[in-house]
Amino acid sequence: MSVLRNLESRIAGLVEGTFGRVFKTEVRPVELAHKLAKEMDEHRTVSVSRTYVPNEYVVWLSPKDRARYDGVEHEVADELSAYLLEHARRERVSLVSTPVIEFRTDDALRLGEFGIQARLVRPAQAAGEAPVRPAVPGGDAPVGGSTSAPVEQGDHGHTMVYSTAARVQGPLREERAAAAAVRPPRAFVLAEGKRMPVPAEGAVIGRSRECDIVLADANISRRHAELRWTGGPPSPGWTINDMGSTNGVRVNGRPITAATAVAGGDRIELGTVPIGFEVER
């Protein structure tokens, strides 16, 4: 089993093992790990000979989610830091220091939502100290050939907002403004024994980890179908569309070839996999 897989298993163990009782909430450490890695990948800085990635991350949680991490934040942060370090080595990108993860609370977030800020920071260097050298793939400690830290300290970027369905929908303030303008009724997908919320901005369903709603069944394509809310006149509502899947999409027994309206209680099939769809009134 790879080192990265071992790290994933250890993070999952925080949920199912010693600290399992703490995380009876939708924001789980494994989900944070995957989204932190995504932020790392999307904020690369290319220099003359290296590609650098952020080394400081702020994870924003709702007050209720933050409270459930009380007493285990340091353990979770250490595991997440190790996960990011191994991810950087696998992707062959450079870090100027070991990744640092800090938890903070945002009252604007709801239970099950979280935000991530990432930045690239040059560690402080006291007078007379040897230059700080970047952490690079394949080494056990920060090493490298540069004679000084290659990047300047930067401000935190926009907060990327995620839900437990793994969506990335943009900066926190912009997402809040859009959600306040037109908020659809809450919808849920029932599949594989789980009841999963559909983000207000819609959701891609498939086997890929990058999907908003991830299903494991082999009959599901990597990006199988998309649920989307159409808020404008004349008839706002939810629609589902086949994204070029192998086994197709059916609504109430009929194959679809274009975006098709769906309502709570409709029978949806992704290939041979039955999917329940609920809408709260």
Side-chain angles (χ1 to χ4, degrees), residues 14 19 22-23 68-77 103:
L14 291 175
F19 306 111
V22 178
F23 299 112
R68 295 176 188 250
Y69 279 72
D70 185 39
V72 294
E73 276 191 8
H74 292 301
E75 289 88 345
V76 174
F103 288 92

Side-chain angles (χ1 to χ4, degrees), residues 240-255:
I240 189 167
N241 193 27
D242 190 341
M243 300 183 70
S245 67
T246 300
N247 296 318
V249 178
R250 291 176 177 79
V251 175
N252 295 325
R254 295 188 176 184

Side-chain angles (χ1 to χ4, degrees), residues 154-271:
D155 293 332
H156 282 101
H158 291 298
T159 302
M160 301 305 293
V161 178
Y162 297 85
S163 77
T164 56
R167 60 176 165 83
V168 183
Q169 298 301 340
L172 175 61
R173 292 180 181 176
E174 295 177 9
E175 191 273 346
R176 288 294 167 208
V182 180
R183 185 176 293 279
R186 288 178 62 81
F188 298 85
V189 165
L190 285 74
E192 298 181 344
K194 296 178 287 186
R195 186 173 185 258
M196 295 164 279
V198 179
E201 295 76 17
V204 173
I205 306 172
R207 286 189 295 109
S208 170
R209 287 186 178 181
E210 299 304 314
C211 290
D212 302 302
I213 295 177
V214 180
L215 301 179
D217 196 290
N219 290 298
I220 302 289
S221 296
R222 290 182 58 80
R223 293 172 61 84
H224 198 114
E226 181 181 28
L227 282 166
R228 183 167 294 278
W229 170 258
T230 56
S235 56
W238 289 98
T239 63
I240 189 167
N241 193 27
D242 190 341
M243 300 183 70
S245 67
T246 300
N247 296 318
V249 178
R250 291 176 177 79
V251 175
N252 295 325
R254 295 188 176 184
I256 67 171
T257 57
T260 301
V262 289
D266 280 349
R267 293 181 294 109
I268 300 172
E269 295 172 84
L270 305 188

